[in-house]
Amino acid sequence: AATEDLTAHRAEALRLGAARFLLERVEAEHRAEARPPELERAAALFERFTRGAFTLHVDETAPTQAALAAADANGRRLTLDQLSSGTRAQLLIASRLAFALEAEARDGSRARAASGAPPLGLPFVLDEALTTSDPERFAAVAAALLDVAAFEGRQVIYLSARQDDADLWRQAAAAHGSSIGVVQLGSHGVGSAASPAAS
């Protein structure tokens, strides 16, 4: 009787284990298929920014709502707080850029197509978004932004009070085969009384 009970419990445990496995697989497939295009685009940009060192994930276990997270090359999940400031900046730029591109494509293209006007590529404005990035991360993000600018025919306007940022943009553009314009407020008669930190 004990052997029969044990066999029955084992069979039940195996059945529950198989059901749990199938349920997890179905949930994973559903998440992959139901993932919004904004997240798909953000994931592609983030992987490009980090040169494949990180992938974007959504932390479904966040206490209030799903939150952006990342996984490193070893598959270790990291929340935004656990990422370095440079990698966190890359993730946030990728997500904001992706959401802006998708929103513009979804909302603007329909209206402009209905009127017969060509698609409108609004400029992206970044305000010292890469200040905490090391030169290698800066170059990776800048190259990807230059790709987006060239492919979509739009401007990227980067605001900074640091001369180092202008130099890094020049280097990234040269490596990319692009050209950029650097405008210092004090040098064009605009804000000539501005402090050096604001020029």
Side-chain angles (χ1 to χ4, degrees):
T3 302
E4 288 176 1
D5 284 347
L6 185 59
T7 302
H9 284 299
R10 181 177 181 276
E12 180 66 9
L14 289 173
R15 189 184 67 76
L16 290 173
R20 186 168 43 253
F21 172 78
L22 287 173
L23 182 60
E24 287 172 357
R25 187 155 186 180
V26 167
E27 285 178 347
E29 286 179 11
H30 174 69
R31 278 195 300 271
E33 290 173 7
R35 197 175 197 184
E38 292 87 351
L39 280 179
E40 287 297 325
R41 196 163 196 165
L45 285 168
F46 183 53
E47 196 165 342
R48 170 83 192 277
F49 288 175
T50 63
R51 296 187 172 139
F54 289 91
T55 55
L56 183 142
H57 286 277
V58 177
D59 182 6
E60 304 284 350
T61 64
T64 54
Q65 60 183 357
L68 291 177
D72 63 15
N74 298 321
R76 186 171 57 114
R77 297 280 178 105
L78 301 163
T79 65
L80 285 178
D81 294 339
Q82 294 170 319
L83 294 171
S84 70
S85 57
T87 304
R88 183 171 50 248
Q90 289 174 314
L91 176 59
L92 294 175
I93 291 170
S95 62
R96 289 176 180 154
L97 183 60
F99 275 79
L101 287 167
E102 288 298 323
E104 183 179 286
R106 182 177 54 249
D107 301 333
S109 295
R110 280 188 232 133
R112 294 186 65 76
S115 69
L120 176 65
L122 297 173
F124 288 115
V125 180
L126 302 168
D127 188 0
E128 293 192 336
L130 299 172
T131 299
T132 59
S133 298
D134 60 49
E136 186 178 333
R137 286 187 179 106
F138 195 110
V141 174
L145 289 170
L146 289 167
D147 278 349
V148 169
F151 181 72
E152 302 214 0
R154 71 176 70 229
Q155 284 183 304
V156 174
I157 300 170
Y158 188 88
L159 307 173
S160 179
R162 298 179 46 206
Q163 182 61 42
D164 290 349
D165 284 1
D167 295 339
L168 288 169
W169 271 104
R170 283 188 187 102
Q171 292 168 16
H176 187 264
S178 301
S179 61
I180 62 167
V182 176
V183 176
Q184 291 186 329
L185 293 180
S187 66
H188 292 312
V190 179
S192 55
S195 67
S199 62

